[in-house]
Amino acid sequence: MKPTLAAAQLRDSLTQYLTTTYALADKDTRRALERFLGDPETGIFRGPYLRIRTPFHPADDGWRSALEWQPSFTPWRHQAKAWERLSTYKGAAEPTLVTTGTGSGKTESFVIPVLDHCRRQKALGRRGVKAVLLYPMNALATDQAGRIGDYLAQPELAQVTAGLYIGDKLDTDFRRVTTRGEEMRQSPPDVLITNYKMLDLLLQRAEDRLLWEGAGPAYVVLDEFHTYDGAQGRRRGDAAAAPGGGRGRLEAGAAARLDLPGGDFCDPR
C-alpha cells in the first residue's frame, strides 16, 4: 500500500460521500461546502503526515529473577519493570499502573506475573480464584481469553485454569478457557475474566457463592483504565474491592481508585 495514494483515495471517497449526503440546492452554499472539503489550506483535510515511532527499550539483564516461570520472549523494559512489581515470587505484589502505547505489550505486563502466581499457588494445592481480570467491553474480554488460552496450552501451565464470564452466549470455544457458569461454580478457575457488571452479579447471587469458595485473589486487573471515570468508576472500584475484603491485596494488578504514590508508573521511556 502506498500511503500517499491511499490518503488521496480516502479523501476522494469522503468528499464524494459528504457532497452526496448534503446535496445542497443553493449554488453559493454548495460551493462553500466544496471549498471547505477541497481547499488544501483551509479545508477539512490535512496531511498526510508521517508518524515515526521510536522502538521500545529492551529489558536489562537479570529480568528473569523476578519470576519463577518465564515466557519464551525477551520483554521490553517497561514489561520487566511491571513484572518486578507485580510478581509474588519473592514477596507481595505492589499496586501498579502501566501506561504505554498501542502495541507495546500491556497485556503481557500483567498476564505473565498473574500466570506465574497461579502456577505457583496451584503447585501448593490451593484452589479458588486467584486473579480477576476486568474489561470494559466483552469484545476485549473474549480477545484476551483467546490469548490467555494460548499461554495455558503450554506444558508448564497445564494445571492453571481460566474462565470467561461476560453474560453473553458465546459461539466460540476457547482453548483451555471455560465459558460455562455451572462448570466454574463447581471448579472455580484460577483466572476469572469478566466485566464489572457481571462481577457485581457474581458477588451478590447466592448460587455463585461456590465460585468464591477458597478464593484468595492476589490480583484485580482493570484493563483500559481510562474508561473507569465518574460515578461508574466509583462503582467499579467498589465491586473490585469486594471479593477478598482487602484493597491493597486485590489492587495489585492495577489500582481500582487512582491513588498510587509517585513512582508507581511503568512507562516505556
Side-chain angles (χ1 to χ4, degrees), residues 4 66 81 83 106 201 264:
T4 53
K81 288 173 64 178
W83 295 353
K106 289 189 293 294
L201 291 175
D264 288 353

Side-chain angles (χ1 to χ4, degrees), residues 42-203:
T42 62
I44 189 174
F45 298 106
R46 298 288 190 276
Y49 298 105
L50 176 64
R51 179 184 178 185
I52 300 176
R53 295 175 58 179
T54 57
F56 299 105
H57 296 288
D60 299 327
D61 294 338
W63 62 267
R64 291 180 177 83
S65 62
L67 303 168
E68 185 177 20
W69 166 78
Q70 297 100 18
S72 58
F73 62 89
T74 300
W76 302 118
R77 184 187 299 173
H78 62 275
Q79 292 175 322
K81 288 173 64 178
W83 295 353
E84 184 176 352
R85 293 184 56 82
L86 294 174
S87 175
T88 61
Y89 184 32
K90 298 179 180 179
E94 300 178 77
T96 302
L97 181 64
V98 181
T99 58
T100 67
T102 301
S104 61
K106 289 189 293 294
T107 295
E108 286 72 18
S109 296
F110 63 82
V111 164
I112 299 302
V114 164
L115 295 180
D116 177 54
H117 170 80
C118 292
R119 176 181 179 271
R120 190 162 40 255
Q121 293 296 302
K122 208 62 176 286
L124 295 174
R126 295 171 182 169
R127 67 186 302 272
V129 176
K130 301 168 183 64
V132 179
L133 312 186
L134 294 176
Y135 293 90
M137 293 184 292
N138 289 348
L140 291 173
T142 53
D143 177 71
Q144 298 290 36
R147 296 177 66 179
I148 290 174
D150 291 339
Y151 276 112
L152 297 185
Q154 298 181 22
E156 299 89 345
L157 299 174
Q159 301 303 315
V160 179
T161 59
L164 174 66
Y165 196 100
I166 55 176
D168 290 346
K169 292 184 178 179
L170 301 172
D171 298 328
T172 305
D173 289 329
F174 297 95
R175 181 168 58 165
R176 297 294 312 280
V177 178
T178 182
T179 59
R180 298 173 178 83
E182 185 59 33
E183 184 177 337
M184 281 187 263
R185 296 184 191 97
Q186 296 302 320
S187 182
D190 299 305
V191 181
L192 176 63
I193 308 164
T194 185
N195 57 58
Y196 86 97
K197 290 184 178 179
M198 289 299 103
L199 177 61
D200 221 4
L201 291 175
L202 292 173
L203 292 171

Side-chain angles (χ1 to χ4, degrees), residues 199-218:
L199 177 61
D200 221 4
L201 291 175
L202 292 173
L203 292 171
Q204 296 182 51
R205 295 188 304 204
E207 63 266 29
D208 291 320
R209 290 178 181 174
L210 290 173
L211 179 64
W212 303 108
E213 283 191 2

Side-chain angles (χ1 to χ4, degrees), residues 27 35 39 50 123 158 210 228 242 249 264:
K27 185 181 297 185
R35 288 194 301 271
D39 192 287
L50 176 64
L210 290 173
Y228 296 81
R249 185 178 185 185
D264 288 353

